[in-house]
Amino acid sequence: MIVSKQKPIDEILAALAGDGKIFLIGCAKCATVCKAGGEEEVWQMQEVLTSAGKEVTGSVVIDEACHMLRSGRDLRAKKEMVEEADALLVLACGAGIQSISAGTPKKTVAGLDTLFLGNIRRFGQFEQKCSLCGECILTETGCICPVTVCPKGLLNGPCGGMDSGHCETDPEKECVWFQIYERLQAQGTVEKLKKTVPQKDFSKMLKPGKLGIGK
Amino acid sequence: MTSTLQSKLASGRFVLTAEVCPPKGSDCADFLEKSRKLSGLVDAINVTDNQGATMRISPLAAAALLVREGIEPIFQITCRDRNRLALQSDLLGAAALGIENVLALTGDHISFGDHCAGKPVFDLDSVQLLQAIKGLGAGQDLAGKSVTGAPAFFVGAAAAPEAEPFPLTFYKLEKKVAAGAQFFQTQAIFDPERLRLFSEAVRPLKVKVIAGILLLKSAGMARFVTNNIPGLKVPAPLIEELEAAADPLAAGVAIAGRLAAACKPYCDGLHFMAMGREDLIPEILKAVGGRWSAVGS
């Protein structure tokens, strides 16, 4: 899922300076799980905006704000409230916000910062394991991704800063190449570490990504 | 084209190298003065590349200034700040400027330095950088296009003999040699026995080993490098020795001399990291004994 967190309220209010009437939008998927833009946060934001002297014309929590057609449809269902607003405040990830803004000429304000594609450790704890690099090497690395988990994204083993199996950037953290080494050892395939991995093909993650399935 | 360092090592001569940090600024007078003083003593001078991720003058420019002075540099180049185009471009530039030795490094993470908010590159890792250097030497860039005037560098890589687990780092060392590394310059050694084991382990790889000797200037500095410099861990007894000394700098020189002498049998040369006190290297060398007054002449 996409991990996001709410921007500081001062920043949100500054972005809404001069806008008296606000329509609020949340997302029922990732932003809800992140407690950044679900029903509850939309409600709380409504209170904050009201006490800041703004009028909230209405709100909607879209089931997958990133879904362009669905977000357009949900906004049309609230047409009057949207029309009446000076600005839309969107509590969804960057993808969700842009699905919404693409469907309306209204001023749209981003209420969240979008962080990463995250795994859920437990409720409220997210960790980045994958960087969407377009060329998966997990089979070779014991299914631990050095592209993501190594701060340098090194492909051929640990850097000189590795110390007793820990990362140079954070002594609390295990070096990902140490993790890979231990795992491959346990699987009896540590010989895989002998293979030199050539320069990565970053053209596979050229922006903006686009994929049409089939045809 | 063979670098002097390369021929000396090939002929079995024990070599000395020392690193000098290029200035944070364009005034290289002090850098050159330090380098001139060292040049009579060491066989080559390592020019560090934005060491500790702190922005300084380009090591390519600083190394070229040394060449102009008739001093042999080892151009350190890291993957942190350059993508594959910039790395190859700088390497070709280095060759054109008469630089013959290169030390290919990954580079400390950007979060350690003075531009923490910058975007680290790491387009290549050190093994892939070595492959790029090998490719250029064969007249071909990483895109498979031919280059004119293929540079014949004497190519080195870093090694951390005291890093644990050693078998994990050894896989990478083997890859570095397969990718063209001809010598290793090691991280600071604090336990000569570890260097002995390291040298035994890398002997089949048939590369030269230049052992790193760090001058500890005080207990405070020893603690600082332990906490802030990636891959450096000063053992507690050494810190205590510095702490107890009436003259910590003299104690540091004595420790460095002791370690250098103890490391000498297990390597092909010594690499001094004097952290600004390059003037003390002759003093450290006294402990090593022998014919050091003649070195570099």
Side-chain angles (χ1 to χ4, degrees), chain A residues 64-115:
Chain A
E64 283 179 331
C66 57
H67 194 306
M68 295 179 178
L69 289 176
R70 195 173 298 159
S71 59
R73 187 194 63 200
D74 285 8
L75 284 192
R76 279 195 300 280
K78 304 263 182 179
K79 195 164 184 278
E80 279 176 23
M81 295 178 225
V82 171
E83 288 296 320
E84 198 191 337
D86 300 315
L88 313 182
L89 173 60
V90 189
L91 304 180
C93 73
I97 296 166
Q98 293 182 75
S99 282
I100 289 153
S101 68
T104 168
K106 282 269 169 195
K107 172 179 173 181
T108 309
V109 168
L112 308 186
D113 285 317
T114 311
L115 304 177

Side-chain angles (χ1 to χ4, degrees), chain A residues 45-195:
Chain A
M45 184 59 72
Q46 181 162 345
E47 303 234 301
V48 170
L49 293 178
T50 307
S51 59
K54 302 201 183 281
E55 183 191 329
V56 175
T57 62
S59 67
V60 61
V61 176
I62 300 171
D63 187 32
E64 283 179 331
C66 57
H67 194 306
M68 295 179 178
L69 289 176
R70 195 173 298 159
S71 59
R73 187 194 63 200
D74 285 8
L75 284 192
R76 279 195 300 280
K78 304 263 182 179
K79 195 164 184 278
E80 279 176 23
M81 295 178 225
V82 171
E83 288 296 320
E84 198 191 337
D86 300 315
L88 313 182
L89 173 60
V90 189
L91 304 180
C93 73
I97 296 166
Q98 293 182 75
S99 282
I100 289 153
S101 68
T104 168
K106 282 269 169 195
K107 172 179 173 181
T108 309
V109 168
L112 308 186
D113 285 317
T114 311
L115 304 177
F116 50 85
L117 166 61
N119 287 39
I120 304 170
R121 167 72 59 188
R122 58 176 71 87
F123 186 70
Q125 272 185 32
F126 309 104
E127 292 168 23
Q128 187 178 15
K129 304 277 187 194
C130 169
S131 325
L132 312 168
C133 77
E135 187 183 43
C136 200
I137 58 163
L138 285 169
T139 307
E140 299 303 310
T141 57
C143 281
I144 299 172
C145 178
V147 175
T148 306
V149 186
C150 170
K152 300 177 184 176
L154 301 184
L155 297 178
N156 278 297
C159 71
M162 189 269 295
D163 181 51
S164 307
H166 289 265
C167 176
E168 77 170 31
T169 67
D170 181 0
E172 303 289 304
K173 225 166 49 184
E174 264 192 351
C175 165
V176 66
W177 278 104
F178 178 67
Q179 294 174 34
I180 293 168
Y181 168 70
E182 292 223 297
R183 195 166 160 85
L184 293 182
Q185 242 183 352
Q187 294 178 346
T189 54
V190 76
E191 296 292 296
K192 280 183 174 176
L193 291 178
K194 287 192 168 183
K195 197 177 133 203

Side-chain angles (χ1 to χ4, degrees), chain B residues 11-290:
Chain B
S11 68
R13 173 104 176 258
F14 195 82
V15 301
L16 298 179
T17 59
E19 72 175 32
V20 182
C21 193
K24 194 172 180 69
S26 62
D27 180 356
C28 290
D30 202 48
F31 165 77
L32 287 173
E33 191 47 38
K34 266 188 189 143
S35 303
R36 279 186 209 111
K37 281 190 181 144
L38 270 180
S39 68
L41 190 70
V42 301
D43 299 286
I45 292 178
N46 282 64
V47 182
T48 53
D49 180 10
N50 292 333
Q51 192 173 357
T54 297
M55 192 285 293
R56 293 172 177 278
I57 194 173
S58 154
L60 174 58
L65 289 176
L66 293 189
V67 170
R68 207 159 77 179
E69 296 260 336
I71 300 170
E72 183 161 324
I74 299 173
F75 167 41
Q76 298 197 180
I77 183 166
T78 72
C79 299
R80 180 193 51 237
D81 310 324
R82 304 169 183 85
N83 71 1
R84 61 191 78 182
L85 275 77
L87 286 166
Q88 296 178 99
S89 177
D90 278 0
L91 285 161
L92 291 177
L97 288 162
I99 294 163
E100 297 173 312
N101 308 301
V102 175
L103 188 70
L105 305 167
T106 299
D108 301 328
H109 195 262
I110 199 161
S111 57
F112 287 95
D114 60 356
H115 286 65
C116 308
K119 183 177 183 180
V121 182
F122 300 116
D123 183 20
L124 301 182
D125 64 24
S126 54
V127 175
Q128 295 155 353
L129 172 58
L130 287 160
Q131 288 179 323
I133 296 170
K134 194 181 192 176
L136 291 176
Q140 205 173 58
D141 70 12
L142 282 176
K145 300 275 161 54
S146 60
V147 296
T148 59
F153 291 117
F154 183 44
V155 186
E162 295 183 6
E164 288 291 350
F166 182 70
L168 170 58
T169 66
F170 189 72
Y171 285 113
K172 191 159 184 183
L173 296 177
E174 284 181 303
K175 291 187 201 179
K176 285 181 175 182
V177 175
Q182 295 159 283
F183 69 95
F184 285 133
Q185 274 182 322
T186 80
Q187 187 52 279
I189 306 290
F190 296 109
D191 179 358
E193 173 61 13
R194 297 298 297 272
L195 178 68
R196 186 181 71 76
L197 295 171
F198 170 82
S199 292
E200 253 171 42
V202 300
R203 188 165 302 139
L205 304 181
K206 297 189 173 15
V207 283
K208 300 293 180 180
V209 174
I210 304 176
I213 302 294
L214 176 71
L215 172 62
L216 299 165
K217 295 188 283 188
S218 67
M221 175 239 182
R223 271 189 224 101
F224 179 83
V225 299
T226 298
N227 296 330
N228 297 286
I229 311 284
L232 264 180
K233 289 274 170 290
V234 183
L238 290 185
I239 300 183
E240 284 157 21
E241 189 177 336
L242 290 161
E243 197 102 74
D247 182 349
L249 186 58
V253 169
I255 291 170
R258 203 164 76 212
L259 289 172
C263 284
K264 192 174 172 260
Y266 311 126
C267 56
D268 304 293
L270 293 171
H271 173 61
F272 292 97
M273 294 167 273
M275 313 295 245
R277 290 308 303 268
E278 287 73 24
D279 55 306
L280 293 173
I281 294 175
E283 195 61 30
I284 299 170
L285 280 171
K286 279 185 189 165
V288 184

Side-chain angles (χ1 to χ4, degrees), chain A residues 11-33:
Chain A
E11 202 180 308
I12 294 173
L13 289 175
L16 291 170
D19 304 316
K21 295 178 176 181
I22 314 294
F23 184 79
L24 262 171
I25 300 161
C27 173
K29 286 291 190 294
C30 308
T32 293
V33 180

